[in-house]
Amino acid sequence: MELLEKQHINTSWDFKTANTKTYTHCYHNYPAMMIPQIAERLIVKYGKNAKILFDPYCGTGTSLVEAILKSINAIGTDLNPLAQLIAKTKTAKIELKILDLYLNEFNNFSFSLNFGFNKPNIAIPNFKNIDFWFSKETQNKLAIIKQFIDNIKDNNVKNLFYIAFSETVRESSFTRNSEFKLYRIPEKQREKFNPDVFSIITSKLVRNRKGLVDYLNKTKYINAKAQIFGFNTVETIGNIPEKSIDIIVTSPPYGDSRTTVAYGQFSRLSNQWLGIENANQIDNKLMGGKISNIKKFGINIVDEIIENITIKDNKRAREVYSFYKDYYKSINNVSATLKCGGYACYVVGNRKVKGITLPTDKITRAFFEANGFEYKNTFIRNIPNKRMPSKNSPTNEIGKTETTMNNEYIVVMRKY
């Protein structure tokens, strides 16, 4: 009962009617994004006088943006190159004058192509199954746009175009956009599918510019900056000094990408068009991506869960064990970066495997306590806004689905 002592449902964390796409948060959709209102409240509540925030699984940089808005420098890490690109772009101050020059140039470029003028010699990328996911006409249009972006000289502006291009890639592909995993639309739909590629990216650019203007106005007198790295916190904390971080605000993966939220599959086509090598291997590099043989953690709550799943399915037990093994290593490394007295705020979800609910909130607490942290609170919220599928396939068997998480658990720990 001790683990339940401070847990309570608090609907004020639901933010049902909140606008979650303010400022640069509007830039790019991504699976299971933490909403900015949660990050903001955690920073205000637990980051008083903080100078540096760390998000070890930063995704598209929600907590990093919110830190900057509060004049706090931020550090984020993520293994997915697309997430890194989005996070860098969302936290960058881009010169509007330069951006507008390129936007005008792109509009003129698009206009001339519509009339058959100035068609460039283009190179379509050569990655596996490109013809499976894109029509020839769409490939040509995407390649033309990509060539234009590649020639942009200002890196921040180029990145803003790239993330608009990334969304355009996905929306103009044969992928079912309601899914995170890659599923192709039926043949009858493909026959009629004729996306207006230039209009799609133009709408993304217009939206991004509006968000950027709001962000620049809000941060006009703020000098805080963000750094985004691609190292794996399971293995290292890179060049982040020990005891240098004032607050950690993050939402780690709920489980391995193969059976939970398919970050790698969601971003694969974008990463391939952006020239990322081995884009189809990203899920294997994330937490739980490599399957290990089961060993005792020595932490009862984890060992009991693994044992219960083993009784039902040894393979699934090994997958769950592998995720928590990596998660534990990551928390060990991340813990070392936090100053004494600093707070670690983890927004987690409790998924089901073989009908058994995994108490990741309590496991997160146990892992931090093993690193000398004091438990402060757990806020339970409903998930009205988070972009999650209503069901997933935890076994990857066709037709076998489980209802996904309806609640998130905001676990707050403090370092002694």
Side-chain angles (χ1 to χ4, degrees), residues 41 44 68 86 97 102 120 137 142 146 171 194 198 211 234 254 264 273 286 289 357 367 407 411:
R41 183 179 290 185
V44 171
I68 289 172
I86 299 167
K97 289 182 180 179
Y102 281 107
E137 183 179 355
L142 288 172
K146 175 67 162 45
E171 290 186 21
N194 184 28
F198 286 93
V234 173
Y254 295 157
W273 271 94
L286 302 179
T357 298
F367 285 173
N407 299 104
V411 182

Short mmCIF file of all heavy atoms in Angstrom, two decimals, residues 41 44 68 86 97 102 120 137 142 146 171 194 198 211 234 254 264 273 286 289 357 367 407 411:
data_model
loop_
_atom_site.label_atom_id
_atom_site.label_comp_id
_atom_site.label_asym_id
_atom_site.label_seq_id
_atom_site.Cartn_x
_atom_site.Cartn_y
_atom_site.Cartn_z
N ARG A 41 3.44 23.38 -16.33
CA ARG A 41 3.06 23.33 -14.92
C ARG A 41 4.15 22.67 -14.08
O ARG A 41 4.44 23.12 -12.96
CB ARG A 41 1.74 22.58 -14.74
CG ARG A 41 1.28 22.57 -13.29
CD ARG A 41 -0.04 21.85 -13.09
NE ARG A 41 -1.16 22.57 -13.66
CZ ARG A 41 -2.43 22.19 -13.52
NH1 ARG A 41 -2.72 21.09 -12.83
NH2 ARG A 41 -3.41 22.89 -14.06
N VAL A 44 6.98 25.20 -13.56
CA VAL A 44 6.60 26.24 -12.59
C VAL A 44 6.58 25.67 -11.17
O VAL A 44 7.06 26.30 -10.23
CB VAL A 44 5.22 26.83 -12.95
CG1 VAL A 44 4.71 27.73 -11.83
CG2 VAL A 44 5.31 27.62 -14.25
N ILE A 68 12.51 27.19 -22.43
CA ILE A 68 12.98 28.44 -23.01
C ILE A 68 11.99 29.57 -22.73
O ILE A 68 12.38 30.70 -22.40
CB ILE A 68 13.22 28.28 -24.52
CG1 ILE A 68 14.46 27.40 -24.75
CG2 ILE A 68 13.39 29.63 -25.22
CD1 ILE A 68 14.69 27.02 -26.20
N ILE A 86 13.13 18.05 -35.53
CA ILE A 86 11.97 18.84 -35.13
C ILE A 86 12.28 19.64 -33.87
O ILE A 86 11.96 20.83 -33.77
CB ILE A 86 10.74 17.94 -34.92
CG1 ILE A 86 10.39 17.21 -36.22
CG2 ILE A 86 9.54 18.78 -34.46
CD1 ILE A 86 9.38 16.08 -36.03
N LYS A 97 12.90 37.76 -41.83
CA LYS A 97 13.21 38.36 -43.13
C LYS A 97 13.81 37.33 -44.07
O LYS A 97 13.46 37.28 -45.26
CB LYS A 97 14.16 39.55 -42.95
CG LYS A 97 13.52 40.77 -42.30
CD LYS A 97 14.52 41.91 -42.21
CE LYS A 97 13.89 43.14 -41.56
NZ LYS A 97 14.86 44.26 -41.44
N TYR A 102 12.84 33.17 -48.67
CA TYR A 102 12.78 31.80 -49.19
C TYR A 102 11.35 31.35 -49.43
O TYR A 102 11.07 30.59 -50.38
CB TYR A 102 13.49 30.84 -48.24
CG TYR A 102 15.01 30.88 -48.39
CD1 TYR A 102 15.81 31.47 -47.41
CD2 TYR A 102 15.63 30.33 -49.51
CE1 TYR A 102 17.19 31.50 -47.54
CE2 TYR A 102 17.00 30.34 -49.65
CZ TYR A 102 17.78 30.94 -48.67
OH TYR A 102 19.14 30.97 -48.81
N PRO A 120 13.61 21.18 -62.92
CA PRO A 120 15.02 20.85 -62.71
C PRO A 120 15.30 19.37 -62.97
O PRO A 120 14.38 18.55 -63.00
CB PRO A 120 15.22 21.16 -61.22
CG PRO A 120 13.87 20.93 -60.62
CD PRO A 120 12.87 21.31 -61.67
N GLU A 137 4.47 9.94 -59.83
CA GLU A 137 4.24 11.38 -59.90
C GLU A 137 4.57 12.05 -58.57
O GLU A 137 5.22 13.11 -58.54
CB GLU A 137 2.79 11.67 -60.28
CG GLU A 137 2.48 13.15 -60.44
CD GLU A 137 1.05 13.43 -60.83
OE1 GLU A 137 0.29 12.46 -61.07
OE2 GLU A 137 0.67 14.61 -60.90
N LEU A 142 8.04 15.30 -54.89
CA LEU A 142 8.79 15.36 -53.63
C LEU A 142 10.28 15.60 -53.89
O LEU A 142 10.94 16.36 -53.17
CB LEU A 142 8.60 14.06 -52.84
CG LEU A 142 7.23 13.85 -52.19
CD1 LEU A 142 7.13 12.44 -51.60
CD2 LEU A 142 6.97 14.89 -51.11
N LYS A 146 12.49 18.62 -52.50
CA LYS A 146 13.68 18.31 -51.70
C LYS A 146 14.91 19.02 -52.28
O LYS A 146 15.76 19.53 -51.54
CB LYS A 146 13.90 16.79 -51.69
CG LYS A 146 15.18 16.31 -51.00
CD LYS A 146 15.17 16.56 -49.51
CE LYS A 146 16.20 15.72 -48.78
NZ LYS A 146 17.54 15.65 -49.35
N GLU A 171 1.94 12.56 -45.66
CA GLU A 171 0.57 12.80 -46.12
C GLU A 171 0.39 12.52 -47.61
O GLU A 171 -0.73 12.32 -48.06
CB GLU A 171 0.16 14.24 -45.80
CG GLU A 171 -0.02 14.48 -44.32
CD GLU A 171 -0.58 15.85 -44.00
OE1 GLU A 171 -1.19 16.49 -44.89
OE2 GLU A 171 -0.41 16.30 -42.85
N ASN A 194 -4.48 11.23 -55.35
CA ASN A 194 -3.65 12.14 -56.14
C ASN A 194 -3.34 13.39 -55.31
O ASN A 194 -3.95 14.45 -55.50
CB ASN A 194 -4.36 12.52 -57.44
CG ASN A 194 -3.50 13.38 -58.34
OD1 ASN A 194 -2.27 13.30 -58.30
ND2 ASN A 194 -4.13 14.24 -59.13
N PHE A 198 2.48 20.16 -53.54
CA PHE A 198 2.91 21.54 -53.33
C PHE A 198 1.96 22.28 -52.40
O PHE A 198 2.40 23.09 -51.57
CB PHE A 198 3.05 22.27 -54.67
CG PHE A 198 4.26 21.86 -55.45
CD1 PHE A 198 4.19 20.85 -56.41
CD2 PHE A 198 5.49 22.47 -55.22
CE1 PHE A 198 5.31 20.47 -57.12
CE2 PHE A 198 6.61 22.08 -55.93
CZ PHE A 198 6.53 21.08 -56.89
N GLY A 211 3.30 30.06 -36.15
CA GLY A 211 3.80 29.61 -34.85
C GLY A 211 5.13 30.26 -34.51
O GLY A 211 5.38 30.62 -33.35
N VAL A 234 20.64 5.12 -22.44
CA VAL A 234 20.84 3.79 -21.87
C VAL A 234 22.33 3.50 -21.72
O VAL A 234 22.76 2.81 -20.79
CB VAL A 234 20.18 2.71 -22.77
CG1 VAL A 234 20.51 1.30 -22.28
CG2 VAL A 234 18.67 2.91 -22.81
N TYR A 254 6.56 4.29 -23.55
CA TYR A 254 5.76 3.44 -22.68
C TYR A 254 6.20 1.98 -22.75
O TYR A 254 5.82 1.18 -21.91
CB TYR A 254 4.29 3.53 -23.08
CG TYR A 254 3.67 4.89 -22.88
CD1 TYR A 254 2.55 5.26 -23.61
CD2 TYR A 254 4.20 5.80 -21.98
CE1 TYR A 254 1.97 6.51 -23.44
CE2 TYR A 254 3.63 7.05 -21.81
CZ TYR A 254 2.51 7.40 -22.54
OH TYR A 254 1.94 8.63 -22.37
N GLY A 264 9.66 4.58 -34.74
CA GLY A 264 10.51 4.35 -35.90
C GLY A 264 9.71 4.20 -37.18
O GLY A 264 10.07 4.75 -38.22
N TRP A 273 13.50 9.85 -46.92
CA TRP A 273 13.56 10.96 -47.87
C TRP A 273 14.59 12.01 -47.45
O TRP A 273 15.17 12.70 -48.30
CB TRP A 273 12.19 11.61 -48.02
CG TRP A 273 11.34 10.98 -49.08
CD1 TRP A 273 10.43 9.99 -48.92
CD2 TRP A 273 11.37 11.27 -50.48
NE1 TRP A 273 9.88 9.65 -50.13
CE2 TRP A 273 10.43 10.43 -51.11
CE3 TRP A 273 12.09 12.18 -51.26
CZ2 TRP A 273 10.19 10.46 -52.48
CZ3 TRP A 273 11.85 12.21 -52.64
CH2 TRP A 273 10.92 11.35 -53.24
N LEU A 286 15.98 1.67 -30.09
CA LEU A 286 15.31 2.30 -28.96
C LEU A 286 15.23 1.34 -27.78
O LEU A 286 15.59 0.17 -27.88
CB LEU A 286 13.91 2.75 -29.39
CG LEU A 286 13.87 3.73 -30.58
CD1 LEU A 286 12.43 4.09 -30.92
CD2 LEU A 286 14.66 5.00 -30.27
N GLY A 289 14.76 -2.55 -27.74
CA GLY A 289 14.91 -2.97 -29.13
C GLY A 289 15.68 -4.27 -29.29
O GLY A 289 15.48 -5.01 -30.25
N THR A 357 -1.59 -5.51 -16.59
CA THR A 357 -1.21 -4.10 -16.60
C THR A 357 0.19 -3.94 -16.01
O THR A 357 0.48 -4.43 -14.90
CB THR A 357 -2.21 -3.25 -15.80
OG1 THR A 357 -3.49 -3.35 -16.40
CG2 THR A 357 -1.79 -1.79 -15.78
N PHE A 367 12.83 2.52 -9.53
CA PHE A 367 14.13 2.70 -10.17
C PHE A 367 14.82 3.96 -9.64
O PHE A 367 16.05 3.97 -9.43
CB PHE A 367 13.95 2.79 -11.69
CG PHE A 367 13.67 1.48 -12.36
CD1 PHE A 367 13.34 1.42 -13.71
CD2 PHE A 367 13.75 0.28 -11.67
CE1 PHE A 367 13.09 0.21 -14.35
CE2 PHE A 367 13.49 -0.94 -12.29
CZ PHE A 367 13.16 -0.97 -13.63
N ASN A 407 -5.03 6.70 -19.15
CA ASN A 407 -4.49 7.60 -18.14
C ASN A 407 -2.98 7.73 -18.29
O ASN A 407 -2.32 6.82 -18.78
CB ASN A 407 -4.80 7.09 -16.73
CG ASN A 407 -6.27 7.00 -16.44
OD1 ASN A 407 -6.82 5.90 -16.44
ND2 ASN A 407 -6.93 8.11 -16.20
N VAL A 411 4.93 11.13 -12.41
CA VAL A 411 5.68 10.69 -11.23
C VAL A 411 6.75 11.74 -10.92
O VAL A 411 7.57 12.09 -11.77
CB VAL A 411 6.35 9.32 -11.48
CG1 VAL A 411 7.09 8.85 -10.23
CG2 VAL A 411 5.31 8.29 -11.92
#
